[in-house]
Amino acid sequence: MRLLAAALAALALAAPAVASEQRPTASELESELVCPVCETTLDTSNAPVAVAMKAFIRERIEAGDTKSEIKAKLVADFGPAVLAVPPRKGFDWIAWLLPLGGLAVAAVAVGALAWRWSRERGEEPAPEPLDPELERRLDDELERYE
């Protein structure tokens, strides 16, 4: 039963992804590509090369190109730095795995330090007894305020 539910969920989520690949929108692609001049996403750039790339994207969408085809043509023209998100293959996997590894190391370090700190605190020592004369004076003073 769980397997069937998982398969149905995967199909429900796959349909929009396939539609996005086959019929991309200009705004979708512009947010996934970077201007080679100002190094911001195309949707925020007004550099002349960014304007030309936006026009190219619209032409290719009207021609019926898929998202992958449009991206491949822009990568061929401008290099892989035009992609806002590095591909998940080869050496580029480091860009995905390094931050996750850093987070894991930081979590282990914080956990170890917290455990060590909680073990070092231990019980507080008992307070030293007061001098009998000082204790008598304190009792006398407290009686005056009662």
Side-chain angles (χ1 to χ4, degrees):
M1 187 64 167
R2 289 183 187 179
L3 185 59
L4 180 61
L8 289 174
L11 287 174
L13 295 174
V18 171
S20 173
E21 172 63 28
Q22 297 301 320
R23 293 177 199 83
T25 63
S27 62
E28 177 184 11
L29 277 165
E30 290 171 6
S31 68
E32 296 176 7
L33 296 166
V34 174
C35 172
V37 174
C38 58
E39 296 181 357
T40 62
T41 55
L42 291 180
D43 57 355
T44 60
S45 177
N46 289 324
V49 69
V51 172
M53 290 172 72
K54 291 176 188 180
F56 174 79
I57 289 169
R58 284 176 173 67
E59 288 172 12
R60 297 315 320 153
I61 288 173
E62 288 178 20
D65 286 1
T66 65
K67 183 193 285 191
S68 297
E69 291 170 339
I70 296 170
K71 283 185 176 182
K73 289 175 184 173
L74 289 169
V75 167
D77 290 344
F78 297 100
V82 78
L83 298 174
V85 176
R88 294 180 183 151
K89 62 181 179 181
F91 186 72
D92 293 323
W93 264 106
I94 291 176
W96 291 96
L97 297 177
L98 197 56
L100 295 176
L103 285 174
V105 167
V108 168
V110 167
L113 288 172
W115 180 81
R116 185 174 147 203
W117 176 73
S118 68
R119 296 290 177 234
E120 286 179 358
R121 284 184 27 200
E123 292 184 26
E124 295 184 19
E128 294 182 26
L130 291 177
D131 178 42
E133 176 61 26
L134 183 60
E135 189 172 354
R136 185 192 60 74
R137 285 178 45 203
L138 182 60
D139 288 339
D140 290 344
E141 291 292 325
L142 288 174
E143 282 180 19
R144 284 182 34 199
Y145 291 107
E146 290 181 352

